[in-house]
Structure formats: structure tokens, C-alpha cells
Amino acid sequence: MYRYDKIDQAIVDARVAEFKDQVARRLNNEITEDQFKPLRLMNGLYLQLHAYMLRVAIPYGTLSGTQMRMLAHIARKYDRDYGHFTTRQNIQYNWIKLEQFSDLLDDLSKVEMHAFQTSGNCIRNISSDQFAGAAADEVADPRPYAELLRQWSTLHPEFSFLPRKFKIAVIASEADRAAIQLHDIGLQLRKNDAGDLGFRVWVGGGMGRTPVLAKVIREFIPVSQFLSYSEAILRVYNRYGRRDNIYKARIKILVNELGIEEFTRQVEDEWALLQPLALDAPQSEYDRIIAQFPDPAFDPAAPDSIDVSNPEFGAWVDQNTHFHKQRGYASVTISLKPPGGIPGDASSAQMDIIADLAERYAHDEIRVTHSQNLVLAHVRKVDLHALWTVLRAAGLATANLDLVTDIIACPGMDYCTLANARSIPIAQKIAAKFENDGAAQRDIGELKIKISGCINGCGHHHAGHIGILGVDKKGEEAYQLLLGGSGAEDASLAKILGPGFDENGIVDAVDRLIGFYKSARTGPDERFLDAYRRLGPAPFKDAVYV
Amino acid sequence: MPHILTGNRLETGDVLWWDGSDWTLHIREAALIEPAAIEALIAEMKPAERINDLAAVEVTVEGGSYRPTTTRERVRAIGPSVRPDFALPSLPVDTI
Amino acid sequence: MSDPQIATLAELLAGANSSAVRIEPGDDARALLPHLGQLTLVEVTFPKFRDGRGYSSARILREAGFTGTLRAAGDVLVDQLGFMVRAGFDDFAPDVPLDPAVVERTLARYPFVYQKAADARAPAWALREGA
Ligand code: SF4
């Protein structure tokens, strides 16, 4: 993992001091709320339905046991004993008090954490693959490059007042576990024919009111130049992105309005002009950062077999562990979608337990996934049973990764001031139909249900095999049903199936969709999404709107 | 329709209701106010910059309390519907 | 300070013999490049602080070698000053006067920066390289 040097720490300390100064000026009425609001948003502090909400940055979703323990401490000391892991691989707290916020930031900074740029019209926290450094299919660990991006984008003097927020994701394999085609910039690390490392660069993806899949603007930019290339993209966007309409301000609209050829030409021209300025970090900095992401000290004698004589354990191993590049190891997904739970929520006690487990069994590393689960990336297979036993006792061993009850849901109208409808109760009601029957869930197979409480799409409904969008129907909560989305390498945007539903109606509709799918699939290997792609919407529509 | 006045306390973010002379955490203690009078109150309070997001909320009078007509304001008055353990006592959680 | 007469971009491009020009957020700063020799002052307006196009305008002018006065004018708030200085501004005309004490604190705030910009500060990677 990346560890701060004195420069990184001094910048965080200065930022904390700056925000303390801003809070003090607000509390003393030296600035108005209108002036303060953008300042607090740049520090991840929103005013939500019940209190202030704080979004803490977890760069590329990676944190240590010590950091997780601090997140638990924050939950206990400043909040109501829990936190919510988000689709942006961050954590949110829902009950924060402004008057305690300075102390909270001090605590975070002690473990190299902060809330910079988790909101506002700036470059947001960089996201990445939760299996980075462990996946057998990656060309190299993408995280050093995510760290280079983190530093480059932190307090960037030119790009802190963009037309709109800006999200960048970095992956290093053909399999896309970070939804790069739904980001403003998606970077896929790859090797060219000469064997050199570089990025395929995607631009202009996004969800929200106008969902768009990103387009490739460059097949290969050498890693040594990807920061200046990003700078060129951002400059074109900052200068020409629309500022007249908040719904047309994302880079995807600029790319669409200019056309990909013209947009690419402008970026290439800008990049040519930037060349003489030598903006890219030198090789020594790459080497310094890459050296902080070594393989852990793997145990070469770790046995490769697992005793799965306990069927409950076996089901969990089948569902929630992932193939690891090192023989004798696996990557473990800790489900934050237990029966009756709130997707992505973890109590401080659970966070402490996960921190302990990471230190004991997983080389002190935890990852947050964009589907609101946690990952221990490097676990010896011989340790899985002991790990599972502890997780199970803590309500953290639900064997449902990528199954029907592994639902993404944004906070929705239970917390969020922008919401049109509640998301969490819908997730709970859908899950309740299946959560006591693991075999039935496994029979349905991979099914990604994603729920957003408004058009902003924090719950990624456009990328759901089944997407659900909360809308306001004359003051009542209502739900649209979308089908056929994917945020993976086979990315596609979900389409509205037909008229919307009320709360019970949407739950029944999902039930009917699943029933129809089971009757229509070619076999257990044909996923819901595949069946939808093969059959098209019509028979699904007939099944729902009877 | 009757109206009441709400806002959030700057220092804590707490959801507040105006009881006619002061702010309270409990919607059942709120005071009914004419819409025009609410606008005047907001205009009077805003310059102090101590209460954020001042707004009028439409309610019905029910069982000794006030029930906002929108789900959003009911959630604000009670708490998240998915965390009944945090619910404030003015209204039953299932009225959200 | 007595300013020279400030021309608009359109006036300058139409041949105004002015040594000072004002550009708005939507103006292309690169249109000034053929005229940099005649200019001693470029005023970049910020009608709303949230509109960040002026930061790009400033950097573009400095990157092209403009050494005259670069002024940020309009909705210039103290919390943006640090970014503005890094983008190349060296003169400020805020609509609402700034508190000098807060300005001083703000500009002295960051001991290090991460990226190259239009000021002379060395980015973190350059300092580390020398370390
Ligand atoms: S999708 Fe809408 S309701 Fe859900 S968290 Fe985002 S802004 Fe809030």
C-alpha cells in the first residue's frame, strides 16, 4: 500500500488547517452559508435529510487495518456507530455535526485519510479494481497509476472549478470490475506489441440523466505520459464543457456534441501544446510509487486445497472467493448485504473485526468494491475456514456475491436530500423473497439489481441487469423498471421496460421477471442478462405487465 | 392546508421545527403558521445565518401531532424508515 | 493604481492599439497570443466564482510566455486565491474586498504542491527526485 511521505502528510495537514479555518469563519458568521456550501462540499460535507453527511475518500478503494479501525472510531465517536460504503468505493457517515468536524478531520489525518474532493465540481476520488494486485488476469497492478492520478488531481489549480464533477477509473485487465465505460475517463492498462505498458483511454461515459457509454479516444498512451494526456483532456473539458445547464455539463455531453473525432483532435492538439512543459512525473517517481505496491510475502508452501466438508462454508467459498494469481491463495468478498440489512452499511464493531481479520489473514489490506462490499485480496486458502468462522459470527458471511440479494442501493429518500423515492426498503423487500434460500439464489445465478432513488444514478441503475429508478409521481414514491444494463467489460445501458410501479408493484415485477427468466433460459449457464439479450424485452414485458 | 416552519441547525445539522418562540427537535411541538407569516419569519431569520434551509412544510393535524404531506418531510420528522431504532417519537415510523 | 484603458477582446482583435485587454470566461485566450507583445495587462473576469474557465485562460497565457500583469477580476473569493496564484495570476480585483489577514494565511497555507502549474513552485515529484 502507498504510505505518505512527509510531503503527502504536510499537504493533508494544510488542507485540514484550511478547512478548520473555513469552518471557524462560518461559525463566526464571517461567511454566509451560500459562500460556505461550496467550501464544505469540497471537503465532502453535505447537509442531508437528518444531519450533515460526510464522505471520506478511500483512494482506489484500498485501506489498511489501521485505517479501517479509524473509520470504526469515527463511527463511534462522531456518528451513530455505523458507516455506509458507497458505489464510489468511499465511506459515508450520516449524522455528523459541523461543530465536531475539525476534530474528526484531525483523527482521519492521523491515519493518512481525508475527505478532499469527495464532492464538488472537481476530480473526484480515483476508483479501481478491487482485485488489483491479486487478479491473475491483470497486466500489472493498476494502483500505482491510480496513486499518480490521486496526487496529480489533488488541489489541481486549473481543475478545481470544472463544469461538473469528474470521475476517473483505472483497471489493468480485460475484465472490467470498475465500470470504466461509465466514467468520465476510463483507463485500461495494457501492453502494446512492443511489450510496453500504456493505457487505452476511454472518455465520456457516465450515468445520471443522460447515460452514455464511454468511447475510446486513444488505443495507447505510454504510462510515462498519461498524466499530461489527462491534463489535455481536462483542459479541453474545462474550457468547452457546458456551464449553462447542470444536466448538460458532464464531459459526455461535450464529447457527444463535438463528436468523438473532433473531441479527440482537440485533445491531441492540446496535448501537443503541453509537451514542452514536461508535466509528467519522472521515472524515479513511478519507481518510488510502484515500489510501495509489492506483492505481499506470499507463503510458497500454502496448500491449494480447501476442506469444504461443511456445506455452508463450501457455498460461501464457491460464491464469495475469487481466483488468485498466487497458488494457495484466494481473494475474499465480505458481503455487506446480509438478510434484512442495509446494502453497504457496516457497524463500527464489524469494521473493527474486519480490520483484525485483514491484519491477521490478509496482509493488512482491505478493498471497497463499487457494489458496496469489502474484499480481503490475499488470503491463504488454509485460513479461509478460520476467517469464515469469525465473519459468520459477525453477520458478515452471507454467501451471495453477484446473486439476487447482492443488491446495490443508494441511500435514497431515507437519507438523501435529492431523492425522489426510497431505495433501501425496495432492496430489502426484493431480498426478503430470496434471502432464506441460498440454493434458490444460486439457481437464479448472477443477477445484478441496482437501485437509485433519483436520476443522479448513484445506485447505478443504468448498469443493472435489473435497474430500478425512484421517481416522484405527484408527490408519491414510484419506481421505473429498466432491464439489460451492465457495468462490466460487456457494458450496456439498461432500458425502461414499461410503465412504473408503486413500492409493492416493483417488488412483484422483479419477482415475475425472475420467474420468467427461469422458465425461458437455455440452461443454468445462461445468465439473466444473457437471456434478456437473446430474447429482447418483449417476453419480459409480457411477463411483468400481465 | 396548515403549515409549519423547519430548518437545520448550523452547528449540528439537526432538523428543527419552530414552536412559535424557539426551535424544537419534535414536530409535534411545532406551531401552525399562516404561509404569509412563514415567509416573513424566514425573511427575518435568514440574515442571522444560524439556521440553514429554512422552509415551510405543509402538514395535516393528526393524533396530537403534525403529519407532513410529503414522504421527504415525514422522513425528516421521524428519521430513516429503515432505522426505526433512531426514530423520533412524534409520529409512528410506519406513517412514513 | 491607474490602469491603461482596457479593451475588450473584440476591440483588440479589431485593431485597438491598447496595452490592456479584458477577457470573459467564454473568450479564447489563445486569440491573444499574436498580440502579447503589445499587452502589459490582461484582466480575466470571473462573473461567478464557480466558473473556472479563467484558470485555463491564465495558464495558457503564462505557458505562451506572457510576463505582464495577469489580473483576476470579479467574484474572486479568498478561498480561490491559492489556485489563482498557481494558475498564473498576480493581481486581483475582487468585487468584495478581501480580509488581508485571511489572504496572508491562505497564500502561506500549502508547504508543497503536487503538480506543475504556471507558478515557479516545484511539484512534489521534483522535490522527491532531489531528495
Ligand atoms: S441517486 Fe439520487 S437519491 Fe440516490 S444517493 Fe444519489 S442523489 Fe441521492
Side-chain angles (χ1 to χ4, degrees):
Chain A
M1 271 185 67
Y2 185 75
R3 298 304 311 263
Y4 281 8
D5 67 0
K6 65 180 193 318
I7 293 180
D8 300 304
Q9 189 65 49
I11 290 174
V12 168
D13 292 345
R15 183 72 183 98
V16 170
E18 179 176 45
F19 193 66
K20 282 184 179 178
D21 192 76
Q22 292 166 343
V23 170
R25 279 152 57 210
R26 175 67 188 99
L27 290 173
N28 293 335
N29 267 6
E30 290 168 44
I31 49 178
T32 65
E33 186 62 17
D34 280 351
Q35 289 167 336
F36 180 63
K37 188 174 172 183
L39 301 178
R40 69 169 156 76
L41 287 178
M42 298 264 271
N43 235 305
L45 196 63
Y46 292 69
L47 185 54
Q48 292 285 37
L49 291 180
H50 311 291
Y52 291 100
M53 177 203 92
L54 169 66
R55 186 179 296 147
V56 175
I58 301 177
Y60 33 95
T62 297
L63 67 170
S64 67
T66 304
Q67 290 175 323
M68 182 63 101
R69 221 171 266 115
M70 179 56 82
L71 295 180
H73 165 79
I74 302 275
R76 257 191 308 267
K77 182 162 174 203
Y78 303 101
D79 206 90
R80 296 193 176 180
D81 220 19
Y82 70 108
H84 175 74
F85 290 96
T86 75
T87 54
R88 291 283 306 149
Q89 300 176 288
N90 292 320
I91 186 170
Q92 291 176 180
Y93 296 100
N94 295 301
W95 306 90
I96 296 299
K97 297 187 191 320
L98 185 64
E99 58 195 6
Q100 297 182 338
F101 194 57
S102 295
D103 293 342
L104 189 165
L105 285 179
D106 278 339
D107 281 351
L108 275 180
S109 69
K110 284 181 208 150
V111 296
E112 306 179 4
M113 295 187 88
H114 57 72
F116 303 178
Q117 293 176 210
T118 56
S119 178
N121 293 335
C122 52
I123 302 170
R124 300 288 188 87
N125 188 33
I126 311 297
S127 49
S128 188
D129 185 338
Q130 69 268 25
F131 296 135
D137 59 353
E138 70 185 16
V139 297
D141 191 333
R143 289 172 301 163
Y145 305 97
E147 174 60 26
L148 281 156
L149 282 166
R150 180 192 76 81
Q151 298 193 20
W152 163 76
S153 61
T154 296
L155 300 168
H156 196 294
E158 187 175 341
F159 306 134
S160 290
F161 297 92
L162 296 167
R164 198 79 177 84
K165 59 190 169 186
F166 202 91
K167 301 176 179 179
I168 304 178
V170 192
I171 63 170
S173 53
E174 288 296 326
D176 179 2
R177 291 172 286 261
I180 63 166
Q181 294 186 53
L182 292 161
H183 280 74
D184 295 286
I185 294 180
L187 295 167
Q188 182 192 348
L189 195 62
R190 55 194 289 260
K191 284 191 171 142
N192 66 6
D193 294 341
D196 300 321
L197 272 181
F199 289 100
R200 179 179 282 138
V201 184
W202 308 71
V203 169
M207 297 193 244
R209 178 166 300 218
T210 316
V212 183
L213 293 179
K215 298 172 184 71
V216 174
I217 68 163
R218 212 174 216 271
E219 280 294 336
F220 192 83
I221 183 83
V223 285
S224 60
Q225 295 177 297
F226 86 116
L227 291 177
S228 60
Y229 198 76
S230 302
E231 186 121 359
I233 295 170
L234 264 297
R235 178 173 285 178
V236 170
Y237 171 56
N238 189 44
R239 298 187 75 203
Y240 299 112
R242 285 181 60 172
R243 291 174 187 266
D244 58 331
N245 179 339
I246 186 174
Y247 296 113
K248 299 197 163 145
R250 295 289 289 269
I251 195 173
K252 61 194 174 188
I253 305 292
L254 178 66
V255 172
N256 275 0
E257 287 182 355
L258 288 177
I260 188 67
E261 288 79 21
E262 173 60 15
F263 179 80
T264 305
R265 187 192 65 74
Q266 292 194 15
V267 169
E268 294 284 333
D269 286 357
E270 190 66 53
W271 189 53
L273 290 167
L274 293 175
Q275 292 293 309
L277 304 173
L279 298 174
D280 287 291
Q283 187 59 43
S284 57
E285 179 71 350
Y286 282 68
D287 294 343
R288 184 186 76 88
I289 292 176
I290 288 169
Q292 300 194 55
F293 293 90
D295 273 348
F298 290 127
D299 168 8
D304 204 43
S305 59
I306 309 171
D307 174 3
V308 289
S309 45
N310 174 337
E312 192 188 344
F313 172 60
W316 178 80
V317 169
D318 270 356
Q319 204 60 46
N320 284 38
T321 65
H322 190 264
F323 185 75
H324 196 285
K325 67 180 180 184
Q326 176 73 22
R327 197 184 139 81
Y329 281 74
S331 298
V332 168
T333 300
I334 299 171
S335 172
L336 296 182
K337 321 290 176 70
I342 294 176
D345 277 14
S347 68
S348 57
Q350 288 177 322
M351 290 186 232
D352 278 339
I353 288 167
I354 292 165
D356 290 347
L357 290 172
E359 286 169 353
R360 186 143 169 224
Y361 296 117
H363 297 277
D364 197 15
E365 257 196 69
I366 303 153
R367 317 284 176 81
V368 184
T369 81
H370 80 272
S371 41
Q372 303 176 290
N373 293 314
L374 300 174
V375 161
L376 301 177
H378 314 289
V379 181
R380 288 196 312 170
K381 289 181 179 174
V382 286
D383 294 330
L384 285 174
H385 191 270
L387 177 77
W388 173 78
T389 306
V390 178
L391 288 174
R392 188 170 178 277
L396 290 167
T398 311
N400 64 349
L401 180 64
D402 294 336
L403 298 181
V404 55
T405 58
D406 184 11
I407 300 173
I408 291 182
C410 79
M413 211 198 272
D414 282 302
Y415 292 99
C416 175
T417 187
L418 300 171
N420 285 322
R422 283 173 287 166
S423 312
I424 300 164
I426 305 298
Q428 290 175 332
K429 284 187 176 167
I430 293 171
K433 300 209 172 203
F434 302 96
E435 62 198 6
N436 296 319
D437 191 344
Q441 290 190 52
R442 288 191 291 281
D443 176 51
I444 296 164
E446 182 184 304
L447 177 53
K448 299 190 178 181
I449 301 178
K450 307 190 180 191
I451 309 174
S452 302
C454 83
I455 196 72
N456 284 329
C458 305
H460 295 184
H461 62 279
H462 289 299
H465 299 176
I466 298 176
I468 296 172
L469 168 64
V471 293
D472 176 281
K473 202 172 163 198
K474 301 195 189 93
E476 297 293 320
E477 295 168 280
Y479 298 90
Q480 277 179 2
L481 180 60
L482 299 87
L483 290 187
S486 167
E489 57 282 3
D490 63 349
S492 58
L493 298 170
K495 295 208 172 56
I496 294 179
L497 191 65
F501 300 90
D502 67 9
E503 183 173 339
N504 292 325
I506 192 75
V507 176
D508 288 345
V510 170
D511 208 23
R512 281 201 285 273
L513 282 172
I514 293 170
F516 169 72
Y517 151 72
K518 285 203 296 190
S519 70
R521 65 185 175 188
T522 54
D525 284 344
E526 188 179 51
R527 299 176 303 164
F528 181 96
L529 179 64
D530 303 325
Y532 175 80
R533 285 176 174 169
R534 176 171 59 85
L535 295 166
F540 288 87
K541 199 168 172 179
D542 292 344
V544 169
Y545 299 93
V546 282
Chain B
M1 280 273 195
H3 284 77
I4 57 179
L5 175 63
T6 189
N8 290 77
R9 193 181 299 285
L10 168 67
E11 294 84 351
T12 59
D14 286 343
V15 175
L16 302 174
W17 310 94
W18 183 249
D19 73 3
S21 58
D22 201 353
W23 294 100
T24 168
L25 294 173
H26 300 292
I27 192 170
R28 65 177 175 222
E29 296 166 0
L32 289 183
I33 314 174
E34 289 299 311
I38 289 196
E39 269 171 46
L41 260 178
I42 291 177
E44 191 183 309
M45 290 176 177
K46 187 159 182 349
E49 290 281 348
R50 301 318 282 175
I51 307 294
N52 292 326
D53 294 356
L54 291 161
V57 171
E58 194 180 72
V59 293
T60 56
V61 182
E62 264 180 47
S65 188
Y66 302 106
R67 182 178 189 271
T69 55
T70 64
T71 314
R72 181 183 196 277
E73 293 303 326
R74 290 196 293 277
V75 170
R76 284 184 75 240
I78 298 169
S81 67
V82 292
R83 289 302 301 253
D85 49 332
F86 297 152
L88 289 168
S90 291
L91 291 164
V93 181
D94 58 17
T95 60
I96 293 177
Chain C
M1 184 170 71
S2 73
D3 273 353
Q5 194 68 34
I6 302 183
T8 64
L9 178 63
E11 287 162 358
L12 190 84
L13 297 182
N17 182 26
S18 174
S19 63
V21 65
R22 172 181 305 119
I23 58 173
E24 309 292 338
D27 290 341
D28 178 7
R30 290 208 168 96
L32 294 181
L33 299 190
H35 311 277
L36 286 190
Q38 92 183 53
L39 294 171
T40 58
L41 167 71
V42 177
E43 183 173 292
V44 178
T45 64
F46 287 83
K48 288 183 301 220
F49 77 86
R50 283 191 184 84
D51 187 336
R53 287 177 285 186
Y55 296 92
S56 288
S57 299
R59 255 187 99 191
I60 284 168
L61 292 170
R62 291 300 190 208
E63 285 165 8
F66 178 64
T67 54
T69 300
L70 198 46
R71 174 187 296 159
D75 194 11
V76 173
L77 306 175
V78 69
D79 296 288
Q80 276 85 61
L81 278 192
F83 293 134
M84 288 183 165
V85 168
R86 295 220 64 213
F89 288 106
D90 55 1
D91 190 36
F92 303 93
D95 289 340
V96 179
L98 305 178
D99 177 340
V102 184
V103 169
E104 201 180 320
R105 282 208 302 274
T106 303
L107 292 181
R109 180 84 66 200
Y110 286 96
F112 303 106
V113 296
Y114 275 126
Q115 58 296 91
K116 261 194 181 177
D119 57 354
R121 300 189 73 178
W125 48 256
L127 301 176
R128 287 165 175 153
E129 204 177 16

